Amino acid sequence: MFELRRWISDDVVRPDDADVQRIESDGDAVVIQTIHRAKGLEAPVVFVYGGDGQPPSGREAVRTYHKGERRFLAVGPQEPADAAAIKDEARRENERLCYVAMTRAQLRLYLPLLPEDKTKEGCAIFAIQRHLRRLHPHGAERGLMSEIEVPAFG
């Protein structure tokens, strides 16, 4: 235990800290964090990135879902009704995460507009992509990232 305390309190630069540049204040710093970690926080400008990957599938996939008030853990193949419940619960959770991501911005929000083949149903940002494509249907296919005027929510 003594060695651990000494290691924690020691000011020696460690290999995992070699690329970290410390500043006196984080006021004007760029902060990169997950959507889960951003809950309850705001920033003047927010870039949403990632979330286009698929969850694991097959034998290694472990999912949780609810039936009424009970929570279940599913490993491997499921019955059709359970598979539908798992898919629906994942979709609702992804929509909640998208809401969190999009409501962190105080002044400006940047969202990726990805090609349709990059965002399959089930990825975290599917709901965002579905709506962005309605606003700008050919933007991602052309490789364009033009501004889209979006009415203010009120």
Side-chain angles (χ1 to χ4, degrees):
M1 187 62 124
F2 173 76
E3 291 295 318
L4 177 61
R5 284 188 185 146
R6 188 172 63 111
W7 185 83
I8 291 171
S9 64
D10 193 6
D11 288 334
V12 174
V13 175
R14 304 207 178 11
D16 55 344
D17 287 341
D19 294 333
V20 176
Q21 182 178 1
R22 306 281 181 205
I23 56 176
E24 290 185 27
S25 167
D26 290 340
D28 292 333
V30 172
V31 178
I32 299 172
Q33 46 191 202
T34 65
I35 295 171
H36 289 92
R37 188 147 190 147
K39 285 182 181 179
L41 302 176
E42 290 184 327
V45 179
V46 171
F47 290 83
V48 176
Y49 180 79
D52 57 332
Q54 291 292 313
S57 61
R59 289 179 173 249
E60 73 280 357
V62 177
R63 305 278 192 265
T64 60
Y65 65 102
H66 293 82
K67 284 185 182 179
E69 297 295 316
R70 297 183 65 196
R71 185 174 183 199
F72 291 87
L73 180 68
V75 180
Q78 295 89 33
E79 296 294 323
D82 293 338
I86 291 167
K87 184 177 178 180
D88 185 57
E89 198 158 319
R91 179 193 53 78
R92 287 185 283 134
E93 175 62 14
N94 286 337
E95 287 176 358
R96 283 189 290 273
L97 289 173
C98 287
Y99 173 83
V100 169
M102 293 184 351
T103 57
R104 301 306 91 199
Q106 296 169 319
L107 301 174
R108 186 166 288 191
L109 171 66
Y110 291 89
L111 299 168
L113 180 56
L114 302 171
E116 201 163 343
D117 64 335
K118 297 288 185 191
T119 53
K120 303 291 185 203
E121 188 173 1
C123 73
I125 62 167
F126 182 74
I128 292 174
Q129 294 300 302
R130 186 178 68 232
H131 293 292
L132 284 177
R133 282 192 198 102
R134 286 185 195 148
L135 294 169
H136 199 60
H138 302 292
E141 286 77 10
R142 290 188 206 148
L144 300 176
M145 294 305 292
S146 61
E147 287 186 28
I148 302 169
E149 191 166 327
V150 180
F153 297 101

